[in-house]
Amino acid sequence: DAAKKPLTDVELAEHLRHVMVSLPEAASRDQAEVVERAEDVAGKDAQADGKWSLAQESLGHVEKFLHSLGLEKHVQNFMAGGVLSAREFHQRSRSEDALRALGVRDEGELNEIRTRGAEILNLPGARDFEARHGSIWKLLQASHRGWQFLAEHAEWPAVAEMDASFRQEQDERGN
């Protein structure tokens, strides 16, 4: 290839004019892409924050109900055992064996939970929570804060079981 000959003053001026006109166009295109990506990320973050808020609502149902029974000492045991929703609380409250597995040993406490367990579904938003919002586990997995919560409670048997199940699903998908 022959060496490029230098641009004439007219050619140089035309080239510079083209570059000067193109730069703002390119910058505004790049800026628009950045803004679009930021809006997309913000939208996903807001959606994830909403999922975390819903997860907190579900956890709150269990905590509030145990407090209302005067059994706040069992909150951690119930959550560690996977009782993170009103529906799960109601199901497990029907079985003395399930309650004993959650650490409830006192006969009076067992009786209180078994006779009043269905009342948890009367808390605002509790009865049809999962039908409206999905599984508490899916809500927790749908947000960064939910994953943080799960990581902070990795020693809970229910979290360890969920993690093992999640990893098995990933392996089956080849991820």
Side-chain angles (χ1 to χ4, degrees):
D1 289 347
K4 289 188 178 183
K5 65 178 185 168
L7 295 175
T8 66
D9 288 345
V10 173
E11 291 171 330
L12 182 59
E14 180 60 27
H15 177 71
L16 288 174
R17 186 188 66 72
H18 176 73
V19 167
M20 297 304 285
V21 168
S22 298
L23 281 176
E25 280 180 29
S28 68
R29 263 195 324 271
D30 289 346
Q31 185 179 16
E33 284 180 30
V34 168
V35 168
E36 185 177 323
R37 284 188 196 137
E39 288 172 350
D40 185 44
V41 167
K44 287 178 181 172
D45 284 349
Q47 184 179 20
D49 284 346
K51 303 274 186 191
W52 171 240
S53 293
L54 290 170
Q56 287 180 302
E57 181 182 339
S58 183
L59 297 168
H61 290 146
V62 174
E63 187 171 358
K64 286 176 195 165
F65 191 69
L66 283 168
H67 278 268
S68 76
L69 297 177
L71 301 174
E72 54 277 344
K73 68 182 182 183
H74 292 295
V75 170
Q76 288 298 313
N77 287 343
F78 272 63
M79 291 191 180
V83 181
L84 306 179
S85 69
R87 181 190 59 78
E88 185 67 28
F89 186 98
H90 178 242
Q91 286 178 341
R92 300 236 196 139
S93 71
R94 298 178 192 175
S95 164
E96 186 173 325
D97 290 339
L99 293 172
R100 286 188 186 281
L102 293 168
V104 182
R105 305 277 188 264
D106 179 87
E107 291 299 322
E109 292 175 350
L110 284 166
N111 191 43
E112 183 75 2
I113 294 171
R114 289 190 66 219
T115 58
R116 296 191 53 204
E119 293 175 23
I120 194 171
L121 299 175
N122 295 331
L123 291 174
R127 183 172 302 279
D128 61 347
F129 183 88
E130 290 186 27
R132 287 182 295 126
H133 306 296
S135 156
I136 176 68
W137 296 102
K138 296 291 183 192
L139 291 170
L140 288 169
Q141 294 173 24
S143 72
H144 180 70
R145 290 181 186 165
W147 279 108
Q148 284 178 322
F149 175 86
L150 292 170
E152 290 167 7
H153 299 94
E155 78 283 357
W156 288 358
V159 173
E161 184 180 312
M162 183 277 312
D163 186 50
S165 174
F166 178 76
R167 289 179 193 279
Q168 182 179 355
E169 250 180 59
Q170 294 300 313
D171 288 346
E172 290 171 359
R173 289 185 190 161
N175 294 336

